[in-house]
Amino acid sequence: MPRISTLRITRSHKIATAVLVAAGSVSAIAATGGTSEAQTTATRSSISVEPVAAAGIPTAKDAAAKKAAQETAAKEAAAKKAVAARKATAEKDAAEERSEKQAANRSTERKAVTPKKFANNLDGWIRESLDIMEKKNIPGSYEGLHRNIMRESSGNPNAVNDWDINAQNGIPSKGLLQVIQPTFDAYHVKGTPKKLTDPVANITAAANYAADRYGSIDNVDSAY
């Protein structure tokens, strides 16, 4: 029966074994580390990196955005300016319109508050009568009225003819232009006193009658 050799493990065998184990571990670690670095490199290469402005220098994208913002701001400012201009123009027009209305109102008030004044004499009576005649479209002139008044009554508003046919019929001629009562009533001018001997009422009624019969008091040169 053959003899089986007995394997004796000495201290030297143990150290050699430990070295081999350690070397295997380092290789494994190295292999693992290599794989991780390769994977990391691959991962990094797949990431898209945006360009970044360096040292405060803007990129083309930043410049475009800034320009767009400036254009928008300019448009908004122009729109506001246009609105303000339209508002100012409207306010100016309104102010001018109010001023014109106020001026017209003041003018109307002055006319209403301060009517024309005429002297209380023959000249004033004729001028007041002409003012009324103009408004009523009754023809006649200062000369025509004055000439006939001086012939008929010598300028006396209370003159009475008590001898002619009218007086004999009970309707004597009276006033500056010697008008009888029926004629005065028929041709009385509205707005004047309804009194035959009132100077202005007498003149305007006589001028109204003369305009109807002769075309104008200016055409009368004798008793009418």
Side-chain angles (χ1 to χ4, degrees):
M1 180 175 183
R3 294 180 62 186
I4 299 173
S5 299
T6 302
L7 182 61
R8 297 180 64 187
I9 298 174
T10 64
R11 183 173 181 273
S12 297
H13 293 136
K14 291 180 180 179
I15 292 172
T17 301
V19 169
L20 291 174
V21 171
S25 298
V26 169
S27 298
I29 292 171
T32 303
T35 303
S36 298
E37 184 176 353
Q39 290 175 347
T40 302
T41 301
T43 302
R44 286 177 181 175
S45 64
S46 66
I47 297 174
S48 175
V49 180
E50 294 290 336
V52 179
I57 300 175
T59 63
K61 184 177 180 181
D62 292 336
K66 184 177 180 180
K67 183 178 179 181
Q70 290 175 341
E71 290 177 351
T72 301
K75 289 180 181 179
E76 291 177 352
K80 289 180 180 179
K81 186 176 180 181
V83 172
R86 287 195 297 271
K87 184 178 179 181
T89 300
E91 290 177 350
K92 182 180 179 182
D93 292 342
E96 290 178 353
E97 184 177 356
R98 285 195 300 271
S99 180
E100 290 175 359
K101 287 182 179 180
Q102 290 172 353
N105 291 337
R106 286 194 296 270
S107 178
T108 302
E109 289 172 0
R110 282 195 297 270
K111 290 180 180 179
V113 173
T114 57
K116 292 181 179 179
K117 292 184 178 181
F118 301 94
N120 188 29
N121 55 30
L122 181 58
D123 178 73
W125 300 331
I126 293 175
R127 293 185 185 282
E128 185 175 355
S129 296
L130 286 170
D131 186 65
I132 295 171
M133 290 163 60
E134 182 180 3
K135 294 175 182 176
K136 301 293 184 178
N137 296 317
I138 300 172
S141 66
Y142 186 100
E143 186 278 330
L145 291 173
H146 187 270
R147 171 167 45 83
N148 281 284
I149 288 172
M150 296 310 293
R151 185 191 68 250
E152 293 292 330
S153 66
S154 299
N156 179 7
N158 296 312
V160 178
N161 183 328
D162 56 3
W163 56 268
D164 66 3
I165 187 63
N166 291 318
Q168 294 174 18
N169 291 330
I171 47 172
S173 301
K174 298 180 180 180
L176 291 172
L177 283 169
Q178 293 293 283
V179 182
I180 61 176
Q181 190 66 50
T183 301
F184 178 81
D185 293 340
Y187 289 94
H188 171 260
V189 177
K190 187 177 181 180
T192 62
K194 290 187 176 182
K195 182 180 180 181
L196 179 57
T197 56
D198 178 85
V200 175
N202 188 277
I203 292 172
T204 53
N208 195 22
Y209 164 74
D212 183 46
R213 187 166 181 180
Y214 305 104
S216 171
I217 190 70
D218 293 350
N219 299 328
V220 177
D221 292 307
S222 61
Y224 63 107

